[in-house]
Amino acid sequence: MRCLEPAEAAAAFRTSAAAPLLDLASNDYLSLSRHPALVAAAQAAAAGEGVGAGASRLVCGSRPVHAALETALARWLGRERVLLFPSGFQANLAAVAAFADRHSLVLADRHIHQSLLSGVRASGAGLQRFSHNDLADLHRRLQTARQERPSQRLLVLSESLFSMEGTSPDVTALAALCAGHGAALLLDEAHALGVLGPGGRGLGYGLNGEGGQPEIALISGTFGKAFGSGGAFLAGDTLVMEWLLQFSGPFRYTTALAPPLAAGALAALHQIQAEPHGPALLQRAERWRTALEAAGWPRPAGVGPILPLLVGDDHAALALQHRLEAAGLLSVAIRPPTVPEGTARLRLVLRHDLPAGTLGRLLAALGDPPCR
């Protein structure tokens, strides 16, 4: 195997693709954003309800489609209640505020999303970061926190599929650990819903405290990824959701989710229920991981449709991005500060409708792995 020399990597910057690029970068995992059913639902909602809601949910922004989507999601996820938000960022700000204040301690995975960290800062809570998906590290920190301040409110933040790492925690063990220390668990399922878990319901499905199962206090999800639409939601028990309805600024003081987006998300849910493509997508992801490893690249972590191809050097990662563009493929180089120094990568993302032969095109475009 021959490694790329620095001069060869730099040369890739001078190449550009003239034809449209095949998408290996977006989060449209199930290829629903242009699905005829979603487009038709959004068009009908726009024609009947308008493009925007015009006000917050508590003024006059609520539409029947909002209630229909919340009810359908709650039933699908096995949760008592769902509330919609215009964005995932707003949903996560609201979620943290529901469980944390200046007297609380938040323990967050090292690679948690920026929106959750912003929620912690806004809450005034103390913050500790535990090593990525390291339940032993989290256990030590929870144990110490309980010993030092036995009655302090504890909140744990994690994701079921991390967007830049492609990895997932053992969610059942995570929930059990939190329950054992009396800590609430907020799980961000943004990238997992539609793909991971039974019927695409996420890795937190079934962990709602019933039948002796450990509990996840709140689920956060978005419609801008596998659902192919826009907006977000929180799902939990009636008490927490009523608190959000009455006291959450990100819910109360923002214009309601646009009716066409809500209608598109509801249509997407119907499609996911009727044709769950998650298992086939995961099988394809396994084939891609194996092929990349056989070609000499570090095996991308995880099992989901996000395949981080670790390169290390920032310039080499950018060079690979441009090389793929020249071959008609779109994959974005992710560099610091989004990821730690020395871990620049190409973020390869699989979608349901990728044409046959895409993996071969990718391997040919990547060429030899860079020198380390």
Side-chain angles (χ1 to χ4, degrees):
M1 179 181 72
R2 187 181 68 83
C3 293
L4 294 176
E5 297 302 326
E8 293 177 292
F13 282 96
R14 296 192 289 271
T15 311
S16 61
L21 302 178
L22 180 61
D23 176 16
L24 294 177
S26 78
N27 300 317
D28 189 14
Y29 306 122
L30 301 180
S31 309
L32 289 177
S33 65
R34 296 178 182 272
H35 193 285
L38 271 69
V39 173
Q43 288 175 335
E49 302 286 354
V51 174
S56 71
R57 291 287 299 277
L58 298 185
V59 179
C60 61
S62 287
R63 300 289 187 274
V65 70
H66 293 134
L69 178 56
E70 287 171 340
T71 300
L73 276 171
R75 186 181 303 114
W76 187 59
L77 294 171
R79 297 280 158 174
E80 292 180 0
R81 194 169 176 185
V82 164
L83 283 180
L84 304 180
F85 290 78
S87 75
F89 211 102
Q90 285 173 285
N92 279 344
L93 290 177
V96 175
F99 289 97
D101 58 22
R102 62 189 180 89
H103 303 293
S104 309
L105 175 64
V106 176
L107 299 102
D109 188 286
R110 178 67 60 183
H111 294 314
I112 206 73
H113 193 269
Q114 178 64 31
S115 58
L116 290 165
L117 291 177
S118 295
V120 176
R121 295 188 186 102
S123 74
L127 173 65
Q128 290 185 24
R129 311 286 291 274
F130 61 91
S131 299
H132 180 52
N133 288 340
D134 188 339
L135 298 190
D137 185 27
L138 175 60
H139 174 70
R140 288 191 294 269
R141 293 175 183 275
L142 286 169
Q143 200 168 44
T144 299
R146 275 286 169 248
Q147 289 171 351
E148 293 178 350
R149 298 182 63 181
S151 62
Q152 186 178 36
R153 182 183 297 174
L154 302 178
L155 173 64
V156 175
L157 306 180
S158 189
E159 301 180 27
S160 55
L161 178 57
F162 284 83
S163 63
M164 295 300 154
E165 287 72 35
T167 52
S168 299
D170 181 338
V171 174
T172 301
L174 173 63
L177 178 61
C178 292
H181 290 279
L185 173 60
L186 167 56
L187 186 67
D188 187 334
E189 295 254 44
H191 290 272
L193 288 173
V195 178
L196 298 181
R201 291 175 173 88
L203 298 183
Y205 179 70
L207 301 181
N208 51 8
E210 298 179 357
Q213 288 276 14
E215 181 179 12
I216 297 174
L218 205 57
I219 295 290
S220 172
T222 64
F223 305 124
K225 298 173 177 61
F227 277 67
S229 182
F233 68 90
L234 295 177
D237 64 33
T238 301
L239 181 63
V240 173
M241 304 313 287
E242 185 63 24
W243 185 95
L244 286 164
L245 180 68
Q246 299 297 332
F247 298 105
S248 172
F251 178 81
R252 292 172 60 88
Y253 304 118
T254 190
T255 300
L257 178 63
L261 293 178
L266 183 57
L269 177 57
H270 294 155
Q271 288 296 319
I272 292 169
Q273 290 173 308
E275 299 181 82
H277 293 299
L281 193 62
L282 297 183
Q283 291 174 6
R284 191 173 199 178
E286 175 66 16
R287 292 195 298 271
W288 279 48
R289 284 180 165 87
T290 299
L292 287 164
E293 184 179 32
W297 295 90
R299 184 181 182 85
V303 298
I306 302 169
L307 284 72
L309 197 65
L310 289 179
V311 178
D313 178 73
D314 295 6
H315 296 291
L318 276 172
L320 282 176
Q321 174 185 320
H322 285 267
R323 179 182 290 178
L324 264 59
E325 289 175 1
L329 305 173
L330 175 63
S331 178
V332 177
I334 307 297
R335 296 161 290 149
T338 302
V339 293
E341 290 287 346
T343 66
R345 65 201 66 182
L346 282 186
R347 184 177 181 270
L348 299 168
V349 184
L350 296 184
R351 291 182 296 106
H352 168 64
D353 66 352
L354 286 177
T358 301
L359 176 57
R361 286 181 61 186
L362 172 68
L363 293 173
L366 286 172
D368 294 319
C371 295
R372 293 182 174 272

